[in-house]
Amino acid sequence: MTGDQILLCLLLGVVVVMLVTEWVPLEVTALLTMTSLALTGLVTPQEALDGFSNPAVVTIWAVFILSGGLDRTGVADHIGRLIQHCAGRTEIGLITALMLGAGVMSAFMNNVAVAALLLPVSMDLARRNRIAPSRLLLPLAYGSLLGGLTTMIGTPPNILVSTALRDAGLEPFRLFDFTPVGGVILVAGTGFMVLAGRLMLPRRDVASAAGPQSQELPDQYELQERTFALVIPPASPLDGMTLAESRLGAAVGLNVVAIYRQGRPVVAPHPSFSLAGGDSLFVQGRLESICDIQAVTNLISKVGRYDTEWLHKAGFTLVELEILPGSPLAGQTPAGLGNAIKNLELLALRQGEDVWYEGYAERTLHTGDTLLALAKEAFQDDISEALAEYLAVNQPTDATMQSRYGLDEHLIRLELVDDPDLADIAMEAERIEAILGLKILTVIDPQEGIVPHEPGMVVRTGSQFLALEASGSMQTIQGLSSLRVDEEAYPTDLLATGHVGLAEAVLAPRSGLAGKSLRQLQFRERFGVGVLAIWRAGRAYRSNLRDMPLEFGDALLLFGPLDRIQALGGNPDIIILSRAAQQPRRTEKALLSGLIMAATLLPVLFGIVPIHLAVVVGAACMVMAKCLSMEEAYRSIEWRAVFLIAGLLPLGVALERSGMATMIANQVVALTAGHHPLALLVGLVLLTFLATCIIPTAALVLLMAPIALNTAAAANLSPHALLMAISMAASASFLTPIAHPANILVMGPGGYRFRDYIIIGLPLTLVVFVIIVVLVPFFWPMTPS
């Protein structure tokens, strides 16, 4: 092997690992690959950037815009009504109509967009015909994938293999060259799902529509197990506090669904809503959380105060860290600063005249801000020279500390009851912190004296704590401990009011909410509805939802005013699984968008205009005709796929130029020497099927295309047959939910588990495999004529 080949092998290995593990976003991996190839000289800088102007990339983003135009004009609504009309009310009819309908749409639209468009349609069909959604949604996803095999614009791999042929100086595939094989696969796949796959589909009903008719949802999500009522006594310290100040969510992990005051419900109350004595709170979460608060408060026998003088006597040092001009820390948050300086505990943040003892970790730092910190040991040696250049370290006097921060008002001493009968009771310090809303600085053990607070520390009765409290935190805890459970109340009449309801939703394919928790998103404040439960991987989660990062495939059970739920139908980050709550379509433009699509494809069909030029003109016409706005056009583009493909295209150039593709091709030919050429095709298809489970389809085709071209040349076989087979195999991503975004999209509302995809996807993959092996050589002979 040459030096370039060794270098490319190493780079290729790193790229594959990063694509499989997704340690960094896929598009970032692609961009790093592109720049690495240029910096190592495997491709020129110009070739590294050529991917963004490649006809395949241009075609892909333009097709996304065309799909967006068909979406916004309600083409899917017409098809949904047609499906309902043709399918009847039987499960077999619905599966057949959904798969074929999704397949026809996917021939000209993005697969994920089709699945997203027909998802609410499928939910409505399931609900009207009393069929579990899990019986329809996986066929919908698979139908959208199968339909993408039928035309060149149906899926990015088809576009990529056609472009690879053109770049190699060969005749590229035309628009409907994929239809003979892809059409048979679509029909056969639908037949398999109707005759055999249907018998393997689970029966799980976790979805329903918004509105007062959705009475089954509490049972489906088992809400009764985590739903109860709390009553605020008239003299409770919570009287007059806002819902946010009560810390019911932060300390207890409870979700306040509604507040009853004088018999009238306030649904999905805003965090600024003021509580009052006598209120009944309809909450969702773990009852044990209230018991934990009462247990901890019962264990506290004494509450006192400490002052800064005691800190000095105990060997602690208070320091002030000031953000200097030009510091790179400005614009960042203090969250990770405590980890950068050992033996230093951040206590508060001062910005101008404002002092923050809680919630400061996520606040943005500015020049001149000061951080109050507690040094447990000598701290000077722990500040690196680089960090010291950006922070001024001061040791203010006690008087200055009090005037600037009022620290004495926040230092508190807690003593746990010293009872021999309770001597074996132990609790984690972190749990006590979470319940009481305090920051424990140190533990004073009756035998060992002052013990530094360490992660995972377990404390026993008789111990004391030196802690830092936010304003009013002890009053809040006393209020929470005064709450009593009303075991008889269960406000099931909320849904009968006609003004509130339950609805299921999933994250949109390009949602910016993924990876963020409800707390980070301020979900209730932002959308005006609450989240009662999250359905993930076949089970419902109903407790501590605030800090659970959302994932693609989650189904969210929403509760709130119907007008707020309906308003969410227009949010691009969320798909409400009810047609009634969907964003209104521009149905008056439906015929126009269809004509634009037809006018775009006809010149391509007759070979008058190259497809990359035709679809760009078509995308522009969609915007000019106001089928969708420019902002909607940008939003409809799957930018992740665009950057992934553009960034990895130079890898194919490097494989070709370095001779790696030829070397691999020769090895493949040598392994199949003496066998029928069909053996080579079978091997490539099997390899593609296996790889598509872990590597994104577009990236996989970019890696396989140059190998297939060189293999065909070395074995004197038709490159069209090999590339057609590879493209079909790469797009048939049925085996796992992560193999394709369309699979993930239906996972939550369908209640599917990982194994469901394997059980149904494996035999469907075998069906597609047999058709590829039999029909591709028939329509595209292996040996050149």
Side-chain angles (χ1 to χ4, degrees), residues 2-33:
T2 65
D4 283 351
Q5 289 175 344
I6 294 173
L7 182 60
L8 184 57
C9 277
L10 294 174
L11 180 60
L12 188 60
V14 172
V15 170
V16 171
V17 169
M18 294 178 72
L19 289 174
V20 172
T21 60
E22 294 193 43
W23 287 335
V24 297
L26 296 178
E27 56 270 38
V28 175
T29 297
L31 294 176
L32 290 174
T33 303

PDB file of all heavy atoms in Angstrom, residues 2-33:
ATOM      1  N   THR A   2       0.449   2.264  -0.701  1.00  0.00           N
ATOM      2  CA  THR A   2       1.184   3.523  -0.742  1.00  0.00           C
ATOM      3  C   THR A   2       0.890   4.337   0.517  1.00  0.00           C
ATOM      4  O   THR A   2      -0.025   4.023   1.293  1.00  0.00           O
ATOM      5  CB  THR A   2       0.775   4.332  -1.979  1.00  0.00           C
ATOM      6  OG1 THR A   2      -0.608   4.705  -1.850  1.00  0.00           O
ATOM      7  CG2 THR A   2       0.961   3.524  -3.257  1.00  0.00           C
ATOM      8  N   GLY A   3       1.676   5.394   0.697  1.00  0.00           N
ATOM      9  CA  GLY A   3       1.467   6.253   1.851  1.00  0.00           C
ATOM     10  C   GLY A   3       0.092   6.895   1.850  1.00  0.00           C
ATOM     11  O   GLY A   3      -0.566   6.999   2.896  1.00  0.00           O
ATOM     12  N   ASP A   4      -0.359   7.333   0.658  1.00  0.00           N
ATOM     13  CA  ASP A   4      -1.684   7.941   0.568  1.00  0.00           C
ATOM     14  C   ASP A   4      -2.778   6.935   0.922  1.00  0.00           C
ATOM     15  O   ASP A   4      -3.778   7.282   1.571  1.00  0.00           O
ATOM     16  CB  ASP A   4      -1.928   8.482  -0.840  1.00  0.00           C
ATOM     17  CG  ASP A   4      -1.213   9.800  -1.086  1.00  0.00           C
ATOM     18  OD1 ASP A   4      -0.672  10.365  -0.101  1.00  0.00           O
ATOM     19  OD2 ASP A   4      -1.187  10.264  -2.244  1.00  0.00           O
ATOM     20  N   GLN A   5      -2.588   5.688   0.508  1.00  0.00           N
ATOM     21  CA  GLN A   5      -3.591   4.672   0.800  1.00  0.00           C
ATOM     22  C   GLN A   5      -3.656   4.361   2.296  1.00  0.00           C
ATOM     23  O   GLN A   5      -4.743   4.186   2.856  1.00  0.00           O
ATOM     24  CB  GLN A   5      -3.302   3.401   0.004  1.00  0.00           C
ATOM     25  CG  GLN A   5      -3.557   3.553  -1.488  1.00  0.00           C
ATOM     26  CD  GLN A   5      -3.152   2.329  -2.285  1.00  0.00           C
ATOM     27  OE1 GLN A   5      -2.407   1.468  -1.792  1.00  0.00           O
ATOM     28  NE2 GLN A   5      -3.621   2.233  -3.524  1.00  0.00           N
ATOM     29  N   ILE A   6      -2.479   4.301   2.927  1.00  0.00           N
ATOM     30  CA  ILE A   6      -2.449   4.067   4.382  1.00  0.00           C
ATOM     31  C   ILE A   6      -3.144   5.221   5.107  1.00  0.00           C
ATOM     32  O   ILE A   6      -3.958   5.019   6.021  1.00  0.00           O
ATOM     33  CB  ILE A   6      -1.004   3.895   4.877  1.00  0.00           C
ATOM     34  CG1 ILE A   6      -0.392   2.616   4.289  1.00  0.00           C
ATOM     35  CG2 ILE A   6      -0.951   3.870   6.400  1.00  0.00           C
ATOM     36  CD1 ILE A   6       1.090   2.455   4.589  1.00  0.00           C
ATOM     37  N   LEU A   7      -2.803   6.447   4.697  1.00  0.00           N
ATOM     38  CA  LEU A   7      -3.414   7.625   5.318  1.00  0.00           C
ATOM     39  C   LEU A   7      -4.925   7.630   5.114  1.00  0.00           C
ATOM     40  O   LEU A   7      -5.697   7.914   6.047  1.00  0.00           O
ATOM     41  CB  LEU A   7      -2.792   8.894   4.729  1.00  0.00           C
ATOM     42  CG  LEU A   7      -3.280  10.238   5.298  1.00  0.00           C
ATOM     43  CD1 LEU A   7      -3.003  10.329   6.793  1.00  0.00           C
ATOM     44  CD2 LEU A   7      -2.611  11.396   4.555  1.00  0.00           C
ATOM     45  N   LEU A   8      -5.366   7.269   3.921  1.00  0.00           N
ATOM     46  CA  LEU A   8      -6.798   7.253   3.635  1.00  0.00           C
ATOM     47  C   LEU A   8      -7.497   6.147   4.418  1.00  0.00           C
ATOM     48  O   LEU A   8      -8.638   6.328   4.875  1.00  0.00           O
ATOM     49  CB  LEU A   8      -7.020   7.063   2.134  1.00  0.00           C
ATOM     50  CG  LEU A   8      -8.475   7.112   1.654  1.00  0.00           C
ATOM     51  CD1 LEU A   8      -9.132   8.426   2.050  1.00  0.00           C
ATOM     52  CD2 LEU A   8      -8.557   6.907   0.146  1.00  0.00           C
ATOM     53  N   CYS A   9      -6.837   5.004   4.584  1.00  0.00           N
ATOM     54  CA  CYS A   9      -7.413   3.923   5.392  1.00  0.00           C
ATOM     55  C   CYS A   9      -7.658   4.371   6.831  1.00  0.00           C
ATOM     56  O   CYS A   9      -8.712   4.102   7.418  1.00  0.00           O
ATOM     57  CB  CYS A   9      -6.497   2.701   5.379  1.00  0.00           C
ATOM     58  SG  CYS A   9      -6.706   1.646   3.927  1.00  0.00           S
ATOM     59  N   LEU A  10      -6.659   5.055   7.401  1.00  0.00           N
ATOM     60  CA  LEU A  10      -6.797   5.552   8.769  1.00  0.00           C
ATOM     61  C   LEU A  10      -7.943   6.556   8.869  1.00  0.00           C
ATOM     62  O   LEU A  10      -8.768   6.494   9.789  1.00  0.00           O
ATOM     63  CB  LEU A  10      -5.483   6.194   9.233  1.00  0.00           C
ATOM     64  CG  LEU A  10      -4.283   5.242   9.383  1.00  0.00           C
ATOM     65  CD1 LEU A  10      -3.013   6.031   9.698  1.00  0.00           C
ATOM     66  CD2 LEU A  10      -4.550   4.221  10.489  1.00  0.00           C
ATOM     67  N   LEU A  11      -7.974   7.478   7.909  1.00  0.00           N
ATOM     68  CA  LEU A  11      -9.030   8.486   7.909  1.00  0.00           C
ATOM     69  C   LEU A  11     -10.403   7.842   7.719  1.00  0.00           C
ATOM     70  O   LEU A  11     -11.378   8.205   8.406  1.00  0.00           O
ATOM     71  CB  LEU A  11      -8.770   9.513   6.806  1.00  0.00           C
ATOM     72  CG  LEU A  11      -9.796  10.643   6.666  1.00  0.00           C
ATOM     73  CD1 LEU A  11      -9.875  11.459   7.950  1.00  0.00           C
ATOM     74  CD2 LEU A  11      -9.440  11.538   5.486  1.00  0.00           C
ATOM     75  N   LEU A  12     -10.473   6.857   6.828  1.00  0.00           N
ATOM     76  CA  LEU A  12     -11.735   6.183   6.571  1.00  0.00           C
ATOM     77  C   LEU A  12     -12.217   5.429   7.815  1.00  0.00           C
ATOM     78  O   LEU A  12     -13.415   5.434   8.134  1.00  0.00           O
ATOM     79  CB  LEU A  12     -11.563   5.210   5.400  1.00  0.00           C
ATOM     80  CG  LEU A  12     -12.831   4.539   4.865  1.00  0.00           C
ATOM     81  CD1 LEU A  12     -13.818   5.581   4.370  1.00  0.00           C
ATOM     82  CD2 LEU A  12     -12.487   3.573   3.746  1.00  0.00           C
ATOM     83  N   GLY A  13     -11.283   4.805   8.532  1.00  0.00           N
ATOM     84  CA  GLY A  13     -11.653   4.117   9.762  1.00  0.00           C
ATOM     85  C   GLY A  13     -12.226   5.066  10.801  1.00  0.00           C
ATOM     86  O   GLY A  13     -13.230   4.767  11.451  1.00  0.00           O
ATOM     87  N   VAL A  14     -11.588   6.237  10.956  1.00  0.00           N
ATOM     88  CA  VAL A  14     -12.087   7.241  11.911  1.00  0.00           C
ATOM     89  C   VAL A  14     -13.469   7.728  11.496  1.00  0.00           C
ATOM     90  O   VAL A  14     -14.375   7.879  12.327  1.00  0.00           O
ATOM     91  CB  VAL A  14     -11.094   8.419  12.008  1.00  0.00           C
ATOM     92  CG1 VAL A  14     -11.687   9.555  12.847  1.00  0.00           C
ATOM     93  CG2 VAL A  14      -9.779   7.955  12.598  1.00  0.00           C
ATOM     94  N   VAL A  15     -13.660   7.968  10.194  1.00  0.00           N
ATOM     95  CA  VAL A  15     -14.944   8.465   9.696  1.00  0.00           C
ATOM     96  C   VAL A  15     -16.057   7.458   9.970  1.00  0.00           C
ATOM     97  O   VAL A  15     -17.144   7.822  10.448  1.00  0.00           O
ATOM     98  CB  VAL A  15     -14.856   8.773   8.184  1.00  0.00           C
ATOM     99  CG1 VAL A  15     -16.241   9.048   7.611  1.00  0.00           C
ATOM    100  CG2 VAL A  15     -13.956   9.966   7.943  1.00  0.00           C
ATOM    101  N   VAL A  16     -15.796   6.183   9.693  1.00  0.00           N
ATOM    102  CA  VAL A  16     -16.828   5.153   9.906  1.00  0.00           C
ATOM    103  C   VAL A  16     -17.188   5.065  11.389  1.00  0.00           C
ATOM    104  O   VAL A  16     -18.369   4.977  11.752  1.00  0.00           O
ATOM    105  CB  VAL A  16     -16.342   3.791   9.372  1.00  0.00           C
ATOM    106  CG1 VAL A  16     -17.303   2.677   9.797  1.00  0.00           C
ATOM    107  CG2 VAL A  16     -16.217   3.830   7.854  1.00  0.00           C
ATOM    108  N   VAL A  17     -16.186   5.108  12.268  1.00  0.00           N
ATOM    109  CA  VAL A  17     -16.452   5.049  13.708  1.00  0.00           C
ATOM    110  C   VAL A  17     -17.300   6.243  14.142  1.00  0.00           C
ATOM    111  O   VAL A  17     -18.259   6.103  14.914  1.00  0.00           O
ATOM    112  CB  VAL A  17     -15.124   5.006  14.497  1.00  0.00           C
ATOM    113  CG1 VAL A  17     -15.377   5.212  15.993  1.00  0.00           C
ATOM    114  CG2 VAL A  17     -14.411   3.685  14.271  1.00  0.00           C
ATOM    115  N   MET A  18     -16.984   7.420  13.637  1.00  0.00           N
ATOM    116  CA  MET A  18     -17.734   8.617  14.017  1.00  0.00           C
ATOM    117  C   MET A  18     -19.149   8.586  13.449  1.00  0.00           C
ATOM    118  O   MET A  18     -20.087   9.062  14.088  1.00  0.00           O
ATOM    119  CB  MET A  18     -16.994   9.865  13.552  1.00  0.00           C
ATOM    120  CG  MET A  18     -15.663  10.082  14.268  1.00  0.00           C
ATOM    121  SD  MET A  18     -14.741  11.523  13.679  1.00  0.00           S
ATOM    122  CE  MET A  18     -15.730  12.859  14.354  1.00  0.00           C
ATOM    123  N   LEU A  19     -19.315   8.019  12.257  1.00  0.00           N
ATOM    124  CA  LEU A  19     -20.659   7.904  11.690  1.00  0.00           C
ATOM    125  C   LEU A  19     -21.509   6.913  12.473  1.00  0.00           C
ATOM    126  O   LEU A  19     -22.709   7.124  12.682  1.00  0.00           O
ATOM    127  CB  LEU A  19     -20.580   7.454  10.225  1.00  0.00           C
ATOM    128  CG  LEU A  19     -20.044   8.470   9.216  1.00  0.00           C
ATOM    129  CD1 LEU A  19     -19.891   7.815   7.850  1.00  0.00           C
ATOM    130  CD2 LEU A  19     -20.961   9.686   9.107  1.00  0.00           C
ATOM    131  N   VAL A  20     -20.898   5.833  12.938  1.00  0.00           N
ATOM    132  CA  VAL A  20     -21.632   4.808  13.674  1.00  0.00           C
ATOM    133  C   VAL A  20     -21.975   5.275  15.077  1.00  0.00           C
ATOM    134  O   VAL A  20     -23.095   5.107  15.557  1.00  0.00           O
ATOM    135  CB  VAL A  20     -20.824   3.495  13.717  1.00  0.00           C
ATOM    136  CG1 VAL A  20     -21.489   2.485  14.643  1.00  0.00           C
ATOM    137  CG2 VAL A  20     -20.687   2.908  12.318  1.00  0.00           C
ATOM    138  N   THR A  21     -21.007   5.870  15.764  1.00  0.00           N
ATOM    139  CA  THR A  21     -21.204   6.256  17.167  1.00  0.00           C
ATOM    140  C   THR A  21     -21.902   7.594  17.321  1.00  0.00           C
ATOM    141  O   THR A  21     -22.528   7.847  18.350  1.00  0.00           O
ATOM    142  CB  THR A  21     -19.850   6.325  17.889  1.00  0.00           C
ATOM    143  OG1 THR A  21     -19.006   7.299  17.239  1.00  0.00           O
ATOM    144  CG2 THR A  21     -19.159   4.965  17.861  1.00  0.00           C
ATOM    145  N   GLU A  22     -21.788   8.467  16.300  1.00  0.00           N
ATOM    146  CA  GLU A  22     -22.351   9.824  16.371  1.00  0.00           C
ATOM    147  C   GLU A  22     -21.862  10.570  17.609  1.00  0.00           C
ATOM    148  O   GLU A  22     -22.625  11.236  18.310  1.00  0.00           O
ATOM    149  CB  GLU A  22     -23.876   9.787  16.334  1.00  0.00           C
ATOM    150  CG  GLU A  22     -24.440   9.281  15.025  1.00  0.00           C
ATOM    151  CD  GLU A  22     -25.934   9.525  14.875  1.00  0.00           C
ATOM    152  OE1 GLU A  22     -26.391  10.632  15.216  1.00  0.00           O
ATOM    153  OE2 GLU A  22     -26.624   8.604  14.420  1.00  0.00           O
ATOM    154  N   TRP A  23     -20.557  10.441  17.899  1.00  0.00           N
ATOM    155  CA  TRP A  23     -19.971  11.224  18.983  1.00  0.00           C
ATOM    156  C   TRP A  23     -20.127  12.715  18.725  1.00  0.00           C
ATOM    157  O   TRP A  23     -20.283  13.499  19.653  1.00  0.00           O
ATOM    158  CB  TRP A  23     -18.479  10.877  19.131  1.00  0.00           C
ATOM    159  CG  TRP A  23     -18.244   9.528  19.731  1.00  0.00           C
ATOM    160  CD1 TRP A  23     -19.092   8.837  20.555  1.00  0.00           C
ATOM    161  CD2 TRP A  23     -17.087   8.694  19.560  1.00  0.00           C
ATOM    162  NE1 TRP A  23     -18.550   7.633  20.903  1.00  0.00           N
ATOM    163  CE2 TRP A  23     -17.315   7.514  20.321  1.00  0.00           C
ATOM    164  CE3 TRP A  23     -15.900   8.818  18.866  1.00  0.00           C
ATOM    165  CZ2 TRP A  23     -16.384   6.487  20.384  1.00  0.00           C
ATOM    166  CZ3 TRP A  23     -14.975   7.790  18.933  1.00  0.00           C
ATOM    167  CH2 TRP A  23     -15.214   6.637  19.686  1.00  0.00           C
ATOM    168  N   VAL A  24     -20.050  13.080  17.477  1.00  0.00           N
ATOM    169  CA  VAL A  24     -20.335  14.457  17.067  1.00  0.00           C
ATOM    170  C   VAL A  24     -21.430  14.376  16.010  1.00  0.00           C
ATOM    171  O   VAL A  24     -21.639  13.324  15.402  1.00  0.00           O
ATOM    172  CB  VAL A  24     -19.087  15.172  16.503  1.00  0.00           C
ATOM    173  CG1 VAL A  24     -18.013  15.312  17.554  1.00  0.00           C
ATOM    174  CG2 VAL A  24     -18.539  14.437  15.285  1.00  0.00           C
ATOM    175  N   PRO A  25     -22.175  15.448  15.768  1.00  0.00           N
ATOM    176  CA  PRO A  25     -23.218  15.400  14.744  1.00  0.00           C
ATOM    177  C   PRO A  25     -22.665  14.928  13.402  1.00  0.00           C
ATOM    178  O   PRO A  25     -21.523  15.211  13.037  1.00  0.00           O
ATOM    179  CB  PRO A  25     -23.706  16.853  14.675  1.00  0.00           C
ATOM    180  CG  PRO A  25     -23.411  17.408  16.033  1.00  0.00           C
ATOM    181  CD  PRO A  25     -22.147  16.746  16.472  1.00  0.00           C
ATOM    182  N   LEU A  26     -23.503  14.198  12.655  1.00  0.00           N
ATOM    183  CA  LEU A  26     -23.061  13.619  11.389  1.00  0.00           C
ATOM    184  C   LEU A  26     -22.553  14.675  10.423  1.00  0.00           C
ATOM    185  O   LEU A  26     -21.553  14.465   9.722  1.00  0.00           O
ATOM    186  CB  LEU A  26     -24.209  12.840  10.756  1.00  0.00           C
ATOM    187  CG  LEU A  26     -24.713  11.611  11.521  1.00  0.00           C
ATOM    188  CD1 LEU A  26     -25.874  10.974  10.787  1.00  0.00           C
ATOM    189  CD2 LEU A  26     -23.590  10.598  11.706  1.00  0.00           C
ATOM    190  N   GLU A  27     -23.231  15.823  10.369  1.00  0.00           N
ATOM    191  CA  GLU A  27     -22.804  16.851   9.432  1.00  0.00           C
ATOM    192  C   GLU A  27     -21.447  17.436   9.818  1.00  0.00           C
ATOM    193  O   GLU A  27     -20.664  17.839   8.944  1.00  0.00           O
ATOM    194  CB  GLU A  27     -23.863  17.950   9.317  1.00  0.00           C
ATOM    195  CG  GLU A  27     -24.265  18.605  10.620  1.00  0.00           C
ATOM    196  CD  GLU A  27     -25.433  17.896  11.292  1.00  0.00           C
ATOM    197  OE1 GLU A  27     -25.489  16.660  11.249  1.00  0.00           O
ATOM    198  OE2 GLU A  27     -26.267  18.604  11.885  1.00  0.00           O
ATOM    199  N   VAL A  28     -21.162  17.473  11.122  1.00  0.00           N
ATOM    200  CA  VAL A  28     -19.848  17.943  11.573  1.00  0.00           C
ATOM    201  C   VAL A  28     -18.772  16.937  11.153  1.00  0.00           C
ATOM    202  O   VAL A  28     -17.678  17.313  10.711  1.00  0.00           O
ATOM    203  CB  VAL A  28     -19.841  18.163  13.099  1.00  0.00           C
ATOM    204  CG1 VAL A  28     -18.437  18.531  13.589  1.00  0.00           C
ATOM    205  CG2 VAL A  28     -20.832  19.256  13.482  1.00  0.00           C
ATOM    206  N   THR A  29     -19.082  15.650  11.304  1.00  0.00           N
ATOM    207  CA  THR A  29     -18.157  14.620  10.836  1.00  0.00           C
ATOM    208  C   THR A  29     -17.856  14.793   9.353  1.00  0.00           C
ATOM    209  O   THR A  29     -16.699  14.679   8.914  1.00  0.00           O
ATOM    210  CB  THR A  29     -18.754  13.221  11.083  1.00  0.00           C
ATOM    211  OG1 THR A  29     -18.911  13.017  12.485  1.00  0.00           O
ATOM    212  CG2 THR A  29     -17.859  12.131  10.506  1.00  0.00           C
ATOM    213  N   ALA A  30     -18.885  15.074   8.563  1.00  0.00           N
ATOM    214  CA  ALA A  30     -18.696  15.259   7.121  1.00  0.00           C
ATOM    215  C   ALA A  30     -17.810  16.459   6.824  1.00  0.00           C
ATOM    216  O   ALA A  30     -16.907  16.393   5.977  1.00  0.00           O
ATOM    217  CB  ALA A  30     -20.054  15.426   6.437  1.00  0.00           C
ATOM    218  N   LEU A  31     -18.029  17.570   7.532  1.00  0.00           N
ATOM    219  CA  LEU A  31     -17.219  18.763   7.300  1.00  0.00           C
ATOM    220  C   LEU A  31     -15.766  18.541   7.720  1.00  0.00           C
ATOM    221  O   LEU A  31     -14.829  19.004   7.060  1.00  0.00           O
ATOM    222  CB  LEU A  31     -17.818  19.956   8.046  1.00  0.00           C
ATOM    223  CG  LEU A  31     -19.202  20.423   7.558  1.00  0.00           C
ATOM    224  CD1 LEU A  31     -19.722  21.557   8.441  1.00  0.00           C
ATOM    225  CD2 LEU A  31     -19.137  20.881   6.106  1.00  0.00           C
ATOM    226  N   LEU A  32     -15.580  17.830   8.841  1.00  0.00           N
ATOM    227  CA  LEU A  32     -14.213  17.519   9.282  1.00  0.00           C
ATOM    228  C   LEU A  32     -13.522  16.588   8.282  1.00  0.00           C
ATOM    229  O   LEU A  32     -12.314  16.726   8.029  1.00  0.00           O
ATOM    230  CB  LEU A  32     -14.249  16.864  10.668  1.00  0.00           C
ATOM    231  CG  LEU A  32     -14.657  17.773  11.837  1.00  0.00           C
ATOM    232  CD1 LEU A  32     -14.784  16.964  13.118  1.00  0.00           C
ATOM    233  CD2 LEU A  32     -13.646  18.899  12.024  1.00  0.00           C
ATOM    234  N   THR A  33     -14.277  15.655   7.719  1.00  0.00           N
ATOM    235  CA  THR A  33     -13.710  14.760   6.699  1.00  0.00           C
ATOM    236  C   THR A  33     -13.265  15.554   5.479  1.00  0.00           C
ATOM    237  O   THR A  33     -12.163  15.347   4.943  1.00  0.00           O
ATOM    238  CB  THR A  33     -14.759  13.710   6.285  1.00  0.00           C
ATOM    239  OG1 THR A  33     -15.179  12.987   7.443  1.00  0.00           O
ATOM    240  CG2 THR A  33     -14.183  12.746   5.265  1.00  0.00           C
TER     241      THR A  33
END
